Amino acid sequence: MATPATAAPLAFAHQAHPAPMAAEARAQILANPGFGTAFSDHMVSVSYDESKGWHSAEVLPYGPIPLDPAAAVLHYAQEIFEGLKAYRLADGGIALFRPEANAARFNASATRLAMPTLPEGLFVAAVEELVKADQDWFPTVEGGSLYLRPFMFASEAFLGVRPSKQYRFLVIASPAGNYFKSGAPAVSLWVSDYSRAAPGGTGAAKCGGNYAASLVPTAEAFARGHDQVLFLDAVERQWIEELGGMNLFFVFADGTMVTPPLGGTILPGITRESLIRLAREEGLTVREERYSLAQWQADAVSGKLTETFACGTAAVVTPVGKVTSSADSFTIGSGGPGQLTQKLRQRLVAIQRGEAADTHGWVHRIA
Ligand SMILES: *Cc1c(COP(=O)(O)O)cnc(C)c1O
């Protein structure tokens, strides 16, 4: 959908919170933040109207938003989101990791969901404004970060089925602990009989609807005692796609790696792309090619495959120890975190936190 050209970059109005959280209460949260339960004092809002384009950019107190019961998002799920982290660097500064990549992916999702695109500079500026306003909200725990959640939804009050003419773009921030502590045990996967994405569907878009559809398969995995759900392709039901919210990598004894290729049914993870580049720089061969569940099991049993890990912004890199389907079950390597998995995780985290040289221009410094 075409976005009317904006004459000048939008300036953000600032409305400071009249009663921000007391320092003591905040300190308690920051010492043990968990994930996605506490939110900082402010949020960013930018509105869109078909006739005016993007307008009314502001940083305002975090709080409920009025919504017409007929708002299109509540009926037809026109909603997309992003997830990225702001880190405190080793030198005390603050940086985002590849926010331009999130902005570009946000627009790809918007286009798939018939929503207006957002100038990439506005997306990045909105995130920066919020981080600057809520600098006091960085966790004090090791491995902590400020998780940013930009999202856009259809706000027009209209029940006809067509793209909305009005949208809200919001950014909220949530202090996050170390999702999986280093040295944490490897996760156990349940291979779902449900499908996450079909060819021609919305699998490559980061839209809330994909997650709504993954809740039953995920609940089934939990009920069976597993940590995460794994989805196979929807057509042949044999090729490995990804987890509910993380991409997958397979590591072989000969030092090569495989990850399922993008192609419309897999979410193009920024962590995935970063790890492909880091691994290749380490001299590893990384192939983006289809890999079947049957081959995975055979390779794990023969020892040809030594490690498997999942990756995404929230948990960074997570080792996979065990895989169970309705037919069978197998263990990866020794069932614990593999060596290359840990090495790649450390490499990436060191760059994100400013402890290793940023030779790719991935670290976007704010302060
Ligand atoms: C967000 C997401 C990922 C990971 O993407 P990152 O950019 O690495 O955080 C993977 N799979 C799905 C389904 C996702 O929504």
Side-chain angles (χ1 to χ4, degrees), residues 3 7 35 40 54 69 71 114 163 173 179 194 215 223 269 311 314 324 348:
T3 301
F35 185 82
S40 67
W54 290 104
Y179 207 80
Y194 287 96
L215 298 178
C311 67
T324 306
L348 184 59

Side-chain angles (χ1 to χ4, degrees), residues 36 48 104 163 206 209 224 243 245 255 261 289 316 327:
Y48 177 89
K206 216 167 169 76
R224 289 172 182 270
L243 307 189
E289 67 185 27
V316 194

Side-chain angles (χ1 to χ4, degrees), residues 81-84 97 101-102 105 147 149 196 203-207 210-211 214 231 242-248 265-275 311-316 348:
F81 66 94
E82 272 301 326
L84 69 165
F97 184 72
N102 293 94
R105 186 171 66 187
Y147 183 81
R149 169 54 60 87
R196 176 185 170 272
K206 216 167 169 76
C207 59
N210 287 345
Y211 277 75
S214 76
F231 292 103
E242 62 171 315
L243 307 189
M246 284 188 270
N247 297 116
L248 279 170
T265 56
I266 289 174
L267 203 286
I270 295 162
T271 316
R272 173 189 179 279
E273 207 258 332
S274 306
L275 290 170
C311 67
T313 295
V316 194
L348 184 59

